[in-house]
């Protein structure tokens, strides 16, 4: 069966299932938002409405996303809860009916599709597929090389600044990545992020970054602040198209930065720091690349605390 036929098969099965269970039809924006909320819920992540809207800028403007989220509440797909830390912050979560829908849909599709039990990585199923473009494969090759070189630098005997520097240097050996930074979240009244390493052609951009994970700070509204608060990787495909790149937009353009990804570093399932990559090309951080750099972040933390 060809890839295109598989896509059509999935679309028809999904459409049939929605009709079968009598589910209200949603447009693509609302569907994407609902899927993000479900993924956050499934991973146990607490993501505020504002952070969800910011990290979904590739889907639509703030006004459009806000309207669709309100519609999802009205239609009974999601509900809002107040944050335990700040009653002014609203947290979206799926309703019981939505959770049941996704559980039933998953069981239905699992029965309809053959799966590959030998692989737990969905990306592995794309290897050799004719749907991957040359540019996609080239970008993936750069990411693999950056990951491999960075892993070679991991040594628990190194000090944290040296380890972070060596990993960032290895990543930026690939021309696509003009800057790589490692920072750690401070637990103080300002909730700032201390950059301990910045390497690459645009390393001066990273060295002079003012970053916070405080949602009320101007320096906490960007992808890095959202990533640390939510515990989830945040990528911006093209800063020229981003609805909010905070106070860094003009300086980033001066250094030729077009896309970025912020990978939270975890200890005991709590984010304590960040690995940030910047590219001079748009759309540099798709799912496969994000998966690799998330693995690298986990290995970095493991070496620090070994």
């Amino acid at each position: 069966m060809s890839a295109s036929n598989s896509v059509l098969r999935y679309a028809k099965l999904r459409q049939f299932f929605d009709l079968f269970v009598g589910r209200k039809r949603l447009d693509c924006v609302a569907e994407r938002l609902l899927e993000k909320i479900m993924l956050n819920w499934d991973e146990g992540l607490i993501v505020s409405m504002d952070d969800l809207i910011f990290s979904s800028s590739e889907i639509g403007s703030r006004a459009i996303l806000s309207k669709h989220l309100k519609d999802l509440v009205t239609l009974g797909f999601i509900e809002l809860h107040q944050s335990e830390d700040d009653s002014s912050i609203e947290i979206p979560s799926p309703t019981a009916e939505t959770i049941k829908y996704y559980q039933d849909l998953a069981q239905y599709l699992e029965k309809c599709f053959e799966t590959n039990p030998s692989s737990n990585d969905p990306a592995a199923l794309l290897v050799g597929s004719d749907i991957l473009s040359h540019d996609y494969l080239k970008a993936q090759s750069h990411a693999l090389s950056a990951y491999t070189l960075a892993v070679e630098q991991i040594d628990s005997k190194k000090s944290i600044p040296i380890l972070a520097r060596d990993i960032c240097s290895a990543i930026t050996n690939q021309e696509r990545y003009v800057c790589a930074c490692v920072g750690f979240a401070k637990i103080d009244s300002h909730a700032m992020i201390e950059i301990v390493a910045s390497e690459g052609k645009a390393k001066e951009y990273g060295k002079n970054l003012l970053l916070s994970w405080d949602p009320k700070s101007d320096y906490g509204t960007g992808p890095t602040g959202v990533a640390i608060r939510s515990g989830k990787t945040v990528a911006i495909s093209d800063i020229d198209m981003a609805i909010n790149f905070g106070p860094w937009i003009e300086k980033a353009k001066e250094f030729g930065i077009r896309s970025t990804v912020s990978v939270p570093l975890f200890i005991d399932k709590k984010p304590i720091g960040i690995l940030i990559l910047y590219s001079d090309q748009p759309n540099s951080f798709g799912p496969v690349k994000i998966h690799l750099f998330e693995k690298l972040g986990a290995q970095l933390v493991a070496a620090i605390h070994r």
Side-chain angles (χ1 to χ4, degrees):
M1 181 179 293
S2 70
S4 59
N5 284 338
S6 295
V7 172
L8 289 174
R9 185 182 178 203
Y10 168 79
K12 290 178 180 179
L13 288 170
R14 178 75 179 263
Q15 184 180 44
F16 174 80
F17 185 81
D18 285 351
L19 290 172
F20 180 77
V21 300
R23 180 177 185 256
K24 299 181 181 72
R25 295 297 300 275
L26 297 175
D27 65 20
C28 60
V29 174
E31 198 72 68
R32 288 282 301 281
L33 284 170
L34 185 58
E35 288 177 356
K36 284 195 171 194
I37 293 169
M38 278 299 302
L39 288 170
N40 291 336
W41 171 84
D42 185 60
E43 296 172 13
L45 300 176
I46 299 175
V47 180
S48 71
M49 287 278 279
D50 284 343
D51 285 349
L52 176 66
I53 289 171
F54 177 84
S55 62
S56 304
S57 62
E58 79 281 2
I59 304 175
S61 69
R62 186 178 188 87
I64 289 174
L65 296 174
S66 296
K67 179 184 181 303
H68 279 78
L69 285 168
K70 290 179 181 178
D71 290 342
L72 288 173
V73 173
T74 302
L75 292 170
F77 287 100
I78 65 173
E79 52 194 7
L80 303 179
H81 306 277
Q82 291 180 333
S83 168
E84 295 180 359
D85 299 325
D86 187 341
S87 59
S88 66
I89 296 177
E90 292 183 315
I91 310 295
S93 63
T95 60
E97 292 79 7
T98 297
I99 294 171
K100 185 178 185 303
Y101 166 79
Y102 275 93
Q103 290 173 337
D104 291 346
L105 175 61
Q107 292 176 2
Y108 173 71
L109 291 177
E110 284 169 357
K111 292 179 181 179
C112 294
F113 284 93
E114 293 183 359
T115 59
N116 182 359
S118 64
S119 174
N120 293 321
D121 183 4
L125 301 177
L126 293 175
V127 175
S129 169
D130 59 1
I131 65 174
L132 299 179
S133 68
H134 174 72
D135 288 340
Y136 179 93
L137 292 172
K138 185 177 180 180
Q140 184 168 310
S141 175
H142 287 173
L144 283 168
S145 296
Y147 170 78
T148 301
L149 291 171
V151 168
E152 291 175 355
Q153 304 304 316
I154 293 180
D155 184 346
S156 58
K157 296 179 182 178
K158 294 180 180 178
S159 67
I160 293 176
I162 296 298
L163 177 59
R165 182 203 65 190
D166 290 349
I167 285 176
C168 290
S169 293
I171 292 171
T172 53
N173 275 336
Q174 297 296 312
E175 291 186 1
R176 177 179 293 265
Y177 306 120
V178 295
C179 182
C181 304
V182 171
F184 292 96
K186 290 185 176 182
I187 310 298
D188 57 24
S189 58
H190 299 292
M192 298 303 289
I193 298 169
E194 180 184 6
I195 300 296
V196 297
S198 177
E199 297 295 330
K201 291 186 294 185
K203 64 182 179 181
E204 294 304 318
Y205 173 81
K207 287 181 178 179
N208 295 307
L209 276 177
L210 284 176
L211 297 171
S212 171
W213 53 284
D214 181 353
K216 297 179 181 179
S217 167
D218 288 343
Y219 298 105
T221 59
T224 299
V226 173
I228 289 184
R229 288 195 299 274
S230 67
K232 192 170 184 178
T233 299
V234 176
I236 291 184
S237 299
D238 191 341
I239 67 168
D240 288 349
M241 303 296 290
I243 60 172
N244 181 7
F245 196 60
W248 311 277
I249 183 69
E250 295 304 324
K251 184 62 68 174
K253 288 181 178 180
E254 289 179 17
F255 282 90
I257 292 170
R258 289 294 302 275
S259 56
T260 180
V261 64
S262 295
V263 179
L265 307 177
F266 289 86
I267 294 180
D268 297 329
K269 298 184 179 180
K270 294 182 180 180
I272 51 89
I274 202 80
L275 170 65
I276 317 171
L277 278 69
Y278 298 95
S279 171
D280 60 359
Q281 299 179 43
N283 306 306
S284 289
F285 304 103
V288 175
K289 276 79 78 177
I290 288 174
H291 175 71
L292 283 173
F293 294 123
E294 286 177 336
K295 282 186 64 176
L296 176 61
Q299 289 169 288
L300 167 60
V301 173
I304 291 173
H305 291 274
R306 188 169 296 161

